Amino acid sequence: MIRERWLAVAVASCALLAALPTQAQDGRAILARSFTPTRSSFVGEQVTEITRPDGQKSRLQQRVFRDGNQLRINYPNGQVMYDDGERQLLYSPRPNVVEQGPSRLSAERLKLQRGTLALKRRLTVEQSGDDVVAGRSAHVLTVKDSLGKIPSRKLWIDRETFVQLRVEESPPRGGSVSTQFVSISYTDPPAGMLPFVVPAGARVVPRGQGRPIPDARAAQLARPWGGPLRPAYIPSGFQPSGFFLHRFKGQEVLVAVYRNPGTDQNLSVFQGPLMGIGEFERMANRPRVRVLTGRRGRADVAVVAPLTEAELKRVMDSIPE
């Protein structure tokens, strides 16, 4: 999943990079144009090369299709990344899982990034000559963070269409990620190649939470407290996404996750032997989330969700002792 996460950042980075403040007028103008390129439909081949801090290298090639705010990337192993301006989906065929997260191409995301005023004092953008990528003449921009907390980036932007042709990132901890087009055609994607429909039977889970673990693995982890705990009552709209592995205070904790597709809200039931539920209780003051902790049989349990106290209590009371 590391390579796919870096790739998603690289190929969908125009929303982020167009929001970055600039010092040089030329760089500002180029970035502004790259946010609204003159051509927003294309088909191309990309190559991603990753060098990890330990020197290990890997290479990945993928097909890219874009039409406006829709972007699709097809990987050789059958994985698909799809972004429609509202949500981003990453489909992995082997476990038949779709990880869903916020779009990297939405206008709301850009507006939020532009409002991050603190970045204006930290980032510099400089124009550093011209180059050729995939047979296209390109401006070259360098973006740096004076505090070193954000990866330095180098961008190659098509001089004619202002599409980003290549992105290089250098994380503060070392290593690098480079994604570039090796070929690009500014044409509409072939019919049927851009849309993505979640395959039948695929499990949809929140992005960043990892993939659900097999039921047999969940049963093994929960053996010390008598087996996985599932609430008998789940509020309307929430659907089971499976069991996930979570590390808490150095030990493995099981999490039963229920997702509300209509709101992208999650209800999570953390469970484990003597977790130290006080840590979860401190989450209770966070905005838009409530926490209810308790003991069920031999397990400490924490129910975490954007629900009322009454609803949380009803969920907790329905968990068998």
Side-chain angles (χ1 to χ4, degrees):
M1 296 304 298
I2 294 177
R3 292 186 302 179
E4 286 74 12
R5 184 175 67 249
W6 279 108
L7 180 59
V9 173
V11 299
S13 60
C14 63
L16 171 63
L17 293 168
L20 297 177
T22 61
Q23 300 296 324
Q25 183 62 41
D26 288 344
R28 180 183 295 111
I30 294 169
L31 284 175
R33 294 293 299 275
S34 73
F35 176 59
T36 54
T38 58
R39 297 297 300 270
S40 59
S41 296
F42 52 78
V43 177
E45 294 271 354
Q46 281 184 339
V47 169
T48 297
E49 296 179 335
I50 301 173
T51 302
R52 293 179 172 81
D54 60 5
Q56 293 186 0
K57 296 184 179 182
S58 58
R59 189 177 188 272
L60 188 68
Q61 189 161 349
Q62 54 273 346
R63 290 278 289 169
V64 181
F65 306 88
R66 182 163 183 177
D67 185 7
N69 65 348
Q70 291 189 81
L71 172 70
R72 175 168 176 160
I73 303 175
N74 291 345
Y75 301 94
N77 62 1
Q79 285 186 318
V80 175
M81 194 199 78
Y82 176 72
D83 196 319
D84 63 2
E86 296 182 358
R87 59 179 183 167
Q88 185 182 97
L89 306 176
L90 180 61
Y91 170 62
S92 298
R94 194 168 184 178
N96 201 24
V97 169
V98 176
E99 296 180 66
Q100 178 173 306
S103 169
R104 294 182 179 273
L105 305 177
S106 67
E108 292 79 8
R109 179 182 175 89
L110 175 63
K111 184 177 179 180
L112 177 63
Q113 291 164 343
R114 280 180 171 165
T116 310
L117 301 178
L119 296 182
K120 289 186 176 180
R121 296 187 296 270
R122 292 169 45 185
L123 297 178
T124 59
V125 179
E126 298 178 354
Q127 188 174 0
S128 51
D130 297 327
D131 202 351
V132 176
V133 179
R136 307 283 304 182
S137 180
H139 298 287
V140 183
L141 300 180
T142 302
V143 183
K144 294 182 180 181
D145 174 22
S146 62
L147 298 182
K149 294 184 177 181
I150 297 176
S152 297
R153 292 182 177 90
K154 197 170 183 178
L155 299 98
W156 286 253
I157 298 175
D158 194 312
R159 290 178 60 91
E160 180 183 354
T161 66
F162 292 90
V163 169
Q164 293 187 15
L165 299 174
R166 179 177 177 181
V167 178
E168 285 187 358
E169 287 195 354
S170 300
R173 296 184 179 180
S176 64
V177 180
S178 173
T179 297
Q180 70 174 40
F181 282 97
V182 293
S183 67
I184 186 170
S185 175
Y186 291 107
T187 59
D188 293 336
M193 289 302 298
L194 189 60
F196 175 75
V197 178
V198 175
R203 187 178 295 180
V204 180
V205 302
R207 189 74 182 268
Q209 200 164 38
R211 297 175 183 172
I213 62 177
D215 290 343
R217 173 66 170 144
Q220 180 186 23
L221 284 170
R223 191 174 300 155
W225 60 91
L229 300 178
R230 299 178 175 88
Y233 168 74
I234 296 295
S236 176
F238 285 88
Q239 303 173 3
S241 290
F243 285 100
F244 295 78
L245 184 62
H246 178 71
R247 291 194 176 275
F248 182 71
K249 291 187 173 182
Q251 67 177 348
E252 292 181 335
V253 172
L254 194 62
V255 189
V257 176
Y258 301 82
R259 182 173 166 273
N260 189 331
T263 62
D264 285 334
Q265 295 177 340
N266 297 322
L267 185 158
S268 302
V269 181
F270 292 81
Q271 50 194 280
L274 303 175
M275 290 191 299
I277 55 181
E279 294 288 337
F280 286 94
E281 290 175 347
R282 282 193 278 272
M283 295 173 59
N285 294 325
R286 294 185 181 181
R288 298 166 58 185
V289 67
R290 287 189 173 87
V291 179
L292 182 63
T293 60
R295 185 87 174 157
R296 284 293 180 268
R298 300 192 299 273
D300 280 345
V301 177
V303 180
V304 182
L307 301 174
T308 64
E309 292 182 10
E311 283 282 84
L312 279 182
K313 187 176 186 303
R314 188 174 177 185
V315 173
M316 177 68 80
D317 289 346
S318 73
I319 299 175
E321 292 280 356

